[in-house]
Structures are given as C-alpha cells and as structure tokens.
Amino acid sequence: MAAYVILATGNDTLHHVLRIDALAQQIATGSPSPLIENKATGEVAAIFLYYSFLPYLLPVALTVAGVASRVSLQIAEVVYLGLLIYSLRRLVECLPRPEKKQLAYAAAILFLTANYVYSDWTTRAAIGEICAYALIPMAIVYALEETSREGMSCEGRSCEGSSWIKLAFIFFLQACAHPIVFAFCALGTFVSVYAITDRPLLKLARPLLTASVAGLAAAAPFWLPAALFMNDVLGKQALPFNFANTFAPPWQVLDPTIFATVGPTMIAFCGYLVYAGWANRDRRLLSCSILFFALLLMQTWLFAGLIPKIPGLSQIQFIWRLMFATAVIGFAAALRFSQRDHCGNFARLIPVFAIVAVSAFGVRLMTKLPKIVNDVQKIISPSDRTAESYFVNFSDEPESVWGVRLFSPDYANIRSFCPESTPDVFSRVSFADLRKNPVVSTPYVGVFAGPIDFVTYRAKGENAVLSHCDHVLVLGPLTPGATLSVDESKLDLAQKSRAGVLGFAALIFAAQFMRRRKKGIAGAVKGNAPA
C-alpha cells in the first residue's frame, strides 16, 4: 500500500505540488501569506485563507531542505499512512481483551483495505483529509483511556493521566487540518467508543463532547476566517456539478472497482454483523451495524432529495466524503464483534473477510498497473507546462477549476460597472503591483481577479469604491496622482493567529512529553535504588 501511495498520482496531486512550491517560495523569501501569487501574471488566490497549511508543513519543510516538491508530497502521504497504521496498532493493543487482539488486527486490515480508505491516499491524494483521518484511531485510544480506564492494558503503560487533554489535542489537530471533515472524525470517534465499551452513553458523552468542543474552539483561527469570508470566493459555485449530482445509484456501492465505496467485502461483513447483533441481543453491535448501512444509503440517490436540504452539509462538496466515517463505523462494529464472548467461533469470520479484502485490494491494484506505469513516466519526464499556466483565476482548465477557481473572487455582491477603456480613464494593474503602492494616473484602476473584503484598497487614506467589470475588480473614481495601496492586515491577523495556536499547542505537547519523560526517569532511578 505504501508503494502504491508513492507511485500513484492522485486527482489532487498537481494542486498540492503547486501549493507546496508556493509556500516554500514564501518561506524562502520571508513573506508568508494566505495569498498564493502567480509570479508570471501578478494574480493572487486566497487558497490558504480557506485551506489549512497544517498538512503541508512536512512537505514544505522537505522542499525547503532541497527535496523536489512532488517527492516531498509523496513522502508526506506515506508518513500520514504510517501514522494511521501506528494509530490502529495502538488502538488494537489498548482494547480490553488482549487475548483477542489477533481478531482485532484482522478487523484493522479489513478497514485499511476498504476502497475509500486507501483511495483517499492513492486516487484522491486528499492531503488535508488524510492528515485528519489518520488521527481517528488515536482519538479513539485517548477516548477509551478517558472513559473506561479500568481494564485497559495499553501495552503495559499506565492509562492514567491527562487523557482528556490528549483527546482534545487530537480533535484540535483534526479541526486545524480539515475543518470540513472534522464532524466526520468526531462521529467516527464517538461511535467507535460507544461500540467498544459497555459504559452508559451519558458517561461517554460528557468527556467526548467537552473534548471535541474544546478542540474545535481552539482551532477557531483555522475555520473562523474561512466561515466569515465564505461568500467572497466562488467556492462550490465554481465546480462543474452540484452537490446533488454526487449521490450514486444504490447498486454502485457494491462495485469493487470504484473508490467512492467501502467495498463489497466490508458491506457483506457488516450485513452479517446486523444478524449477529440481532441474534445475540447485542444492542450496540446491532445499532452500529445499522448505522453503517444508514450512512451508506445516505450517500445514494435514494436520499438525494433530502440530504442536500440539511443546512451546511453541501459545503462538503461530495456526499461520498462520508465514506471514510462509514468505514470507521464498520470497523468499530467489527472490533466489538471481535471482543464479545458470545460470538464464539463465528468471530473467526473476521480473518476470512480480511483475506478476501486483501485479495480484492491486490486485484484492484493489478488493474491499476497501467495507470501507475503512466504516472511514473510523468514523474520521470514531467510536462513542460509550468505551474503558473494552471494558476489562472476564472480559468476553465480542469486543473484550475479544482485547484484555483474555487478561490477566485465572487463579485455578485458588488455593483457591475465598466468604465471607458480609454488610456486617460482606465488603467490595469496586477495585485502584485498594488503591493508596491503605485501612483495612479487614471480615475479608474482595474485589477484582474482582485480579492475583496479580506483585503482593503485605499487611496489618500480612504477606502476605494469597488465595482466590477466581468472578472476585473474596478477601483474608483480615484484622484490621479494619489497613491494606491492594499491593506492585508486581516490576512496577517489570520496567519499570525494560526501560527500562534499551533505554537502554543506545540509548547503544551512538549511540556507533556518532558513531564512524562522526567516521570519515567524518576521511576527508573527509584527502581534501581538499593533496598
């Protein structure tokens, strides 16, 4: 799977490479900003006002150190895959029944080989999503430590301690990495803890809700600016489809060749779990299995008329983004099944289904070999087209539609006005030129794809009047001879707030690490002391 991640080119790979290069260049020049600039045209796009830079920290650091941006991206994706696998191992080792851990490992393999789980790395290359999703098992571990410390083995480590702080920290990182899928991460964590333990629901809810709210609130600098300025860019309006078009036919979820499903193997196994939960009167197993199928059906056109009416849900752009949380809930049901005594020898069905799932993954990998070979050839002999050629606002190029046009300005709320295009009335400048405080020579100045609201344009200390002529932002009327400037203080505040909360979180993490290490050293010294 790691080799597949390294060699495959995902749908979003080019966008991420462009962004990694842009961020690395900003760091090299000492001018970090949420605005990404096209050096060839002077255009900007507010990509990192709306998209978190947290998942890019590792690949950008590698690129600054001299590693090619494409290679840096693949390394980061493999690291995030390793984080997911390590987190799964921690979860399995911390389950209340260590003698049944082999069955739990089989359930983890069944989860890893679910179509959408590994395809988020290989087919989509959705680096923000995978950064958040890779932490779900670790969130479950800390939630279990907090809610049911008794009986937790935790590989010989003590489960006592600040588990709530660790859980809130994981939720914080997930909300920072990808605020849109944070709700799915929390849903997967909540249901998994409910499935694995037998503690009352109300006792589970308090620490989980408080930790998730605390993590989300601490991550406000990452999602609040995007929410405040959501209507200032095209966003989902720029996409060539609407949210309702992403609902699939019900039978398509059984197709083993597509990525937007958990795959027929997990579906078949969870179908058996519904029966097992009913036959053994295990309400939690039954409810988790039914929830798995409910989420699966919600992503089909059976619910295409109802789901889009849920406020805010269309912001996820694709309904099949729920598929990862669906796989987590199926995994949680499998974990409960593996830990129950009443399941008896039937629990040995888990390794059987895991073997089938791995075989299906291998067959699908073989069918992808021609594409993988083609992707590798592209890496060896890259196209002559530059990143700047894709980085064009309002462009209909597929790469620009998905990578840039989403962040192109939306001028629907300002008046339409086209001044005379004579040299003494109207002149054009780029946003990059505005950063140099030019002196205007005409009453009206046009800025192609000039951003609005989160930046302020001023002349003679007063805010310039804004209008638009098609895709050109028009400033004016202005007094010729006046100095035109652009105020990016709102963007600077957002950037500094994000860096500040991450820095503060890093300090807390370092303090916790040092405290634990100091405690471990003190315990070792005490253990070696003579009686």
Side-chain angles (χ1 to χ4, degrees):
M1 197 173 288
Y4 190 6
V5 171
I6 291 172
L7 297 176
T9 296
N11 298 335
D12 294 346
T13 296
L14 179 63
H15 317 321
H16 298 314
V17 169
L18 172 121
R19 295 169 188 177
I20 290 168
D21 281 332
L23 287 175
Q25 190 174 48
Q26 286 184 354
I27 292 174
T29 57
S31 55
S33 170
L35 298 180
I36 299 301
E37 181 182 333
N38 183 339
K39 298 299 182 180
T41 63
E43 294 176 43
V44 293
I47 293 175
F48 286 103
L49 179 62
Y50 299 92
Y51 203 98
S52 172
F53 64 80
L54 177 61
Y56 293 92
L57 290 180
L58 175 58
V60 168
L62 292 171
T63 302
V64 171
V67 180
S69 54
R70 171 61 187 270
V71 177
S72 298
L73 174 64
Q74 304 302 94
I75 292 174
E77 289 181 356
V78 171
V79 169
Y80 296 148
L81 177 63
L83 177 60
L84 174 64
I85 293 170
Y86 170 76
S87 301
L88 286 171
R89 180 182 178 277
R90 281 286 309 275
L91 173 57
V92 170
E93 295 293 337
C94 276
L95 289 175
R97 302 290 299 276
E99 72 276 10
K100 293 180 178 287
K101 69 172 63 174
Q102 290 186 348
L103 296 176
Y105 273 121
I109 292 171
L110 182 63
F111 167 71
L112 272 178
T113 50
N115 287 32
Y116 190 83
V117 173
Y118 68 82
S119 293
D120 225 10
W121 273 259
T122 58
T123 301
R124 297 198 59 225
I127 191 171
E129 286 186 32
I130 64 179
C131 184
Y133 286 150
L135 293 168
I136 291 178
M138 193 64 73
I140 298 171
V141 169
Y142 293 139
L144 288 173
E145 290 183 2
E146 179 63 25
T147 59
S148 51
R149 292 174 180 170
E150 293 181 5
M152 299 288 290
S153 64
C154 296
E155 295 181 286
R157 295 185 303 273
S158 171
C159 289
E160 301 293 333
S162 51
S163 300
W164 186 91
I165 294 176
K166 296 174 185 176
L167 178 60
F169 182 70
I170 294 294
F171 281 138
F172 163 75
L173 292 177
Q174 289 174 324
C176 290
H178 205 302
I180 288 178
V181 303
F182 170 77
F184 305 153
C185 296
L187 173 65
T189 303
F190 286 16
V191 175
S192 297
V193 175
Y194 171 77
I196 294 169
T197 71
D198 288 314
R199 293 177 69 83
L201 182 60
L202 291 178
K203 288 188 177 180
L204 297 177
R206 184 187 61 80
L208 289 173
L209 286 174
T210 54
S212 60
V213 170
L216 184 63
F222 282 84
W223 56 263
L224 185 58
L228 292 175
F229 299 114
M230 182 172 60
N231 296 322
D232 296 322
V233 292
L234 293 178
K236 60 185 181 181
Q237 301 176 57
L239 300 179
F241 60 86
N242 59 45
F243 181 56
N245 296 142
T246 64
F247 290 78
W251 55 86
Q252 190 168 300
V253 298
L254 296 172
D255 188 345
T257 65
I258 65 171
F259 75 89
T261 179
V262 294
T265 308
M266 177 172 274
I267 292 173
F269 182 65
C270 288
Y272 173 75
L273 293 184
V274 172
Y275 164 75
W278 175 268
N280 293 289
R281 292 181 172 83
D282 189 333
R283 293 182 180 179
R284 297 202 177 194
L285 178 60
L286 180 61
S287 59
C288 289
S289 304
I290 291 175
L291 179 58
F292 169 85
F293 282 102
L295 288 176
L296 201 62
L297 290 175
M298 278 175 56
Q299 299 168 67
T300 68
W301 50 246
L302 295 175
F303 290 86
L306 176 64
I307 300 301
K309 295 179 182 178
I310 299 176
L313 189 59
S314 62
Q315 292 300 324
I316 69 174
Q317 299 176 357
F318 320 102
I319 187 61
W320 37 259
R321 266 183 167 157
L322 266 169
M323 203 60 75
F324 201 101
T326 306
V328 170
I329 291 169
F331 171 52
L335 284 181
R336 180 170 185 85
F337 184 69
S338 73
Q339 301 291 297
R340 301 296 102 182
D341 287 329
H342 60 65
C343 297
N345 290 330
F346 289 103
R348 299 186 183 278
L349 285 172
I350 303 176
V352 174
F353 277 93
I355 291 171
V356 174
V358 171
S359 301
F361 168 73
V363 170
R364 190 160 186 255
L365 182 59
M366 294 300 293
T367 63
K368 293 286 184 181
L369 278 179
K371 180 183 182 299
I372 293 174
V373 171
N374 186 49
D375 291 342
V376 172
Q377 289 175 344
K378 288 181 180 179
I379 297 174
I380 297 172
S381 303
S383 170
D384 292 334
R385 295 189 67 177
T386 62
E388 283 79 7
S389 66
Y390 295 118
F391 186 15
V392 180
N393 286 279
F394 302 109
S395 170
D396 291 327
E397 281 271 2
E399 291 83 359
S400 293
V401 168
W402 294 100
V404 179
R405 188 165 183 169
L406 289 165
F407 311 100
S408 296
D410 183 2
Y411 296 142
N413 294 324
I414 62 176
R415 68 170 184 144
S416 176
F417 170 68
C418 295
E420 296 180 20
S421 56
T422 55
D424 58 333
V425 175
F426 181 74
S427 58
R428 294 275 292 269
V429 297
S430 69
F431 190 88
D433 293 332
L434 286 179
R435 285 173 158 172
K436 302 173 184 176
N437 300 330
V439 176
V440 299
S441 58
T442 56
Y444 295 96
V445 173
V447 185
F448 181 76
I452 55 175
D453 277 3
F454 47 81
V455 298
T456 304
Y457 302 92
R458 291 196 176 95
K460 285 191 171 180
E462 297 183 355
N463 293 353
V465 177
L466 304 182
S467 54
H468 76 96
C469 183
D470 197 13
H471 297 320
V472 177
L473 180 67
V474 178
L475 311 178
L478 305 170
T479 304
T483 299
L484 190 59
S485 62
V486 57
D487 182 1
E488 301 179 49
S489 57
K490 294 177 183 177
L491 294 175
D492 293 339
L493 177 62
Q495 190 86 334
K496 290 175 181 177
S497 300
R498 293 171 177 179
V501 296
L502 279 181
F504 184 69
L507 286 175
I508 293 177
F509 180 81
Q512 284 286 107
F513 175 78
M514 294 302 295
R515 179 173 167 269
R516 184 172 180 178
R517 186 181 177 190
K518 195 181 213 180
K519 191 175 181 182
I521 293 172
V525 171
K526 186 177 180 181
N528 292 329

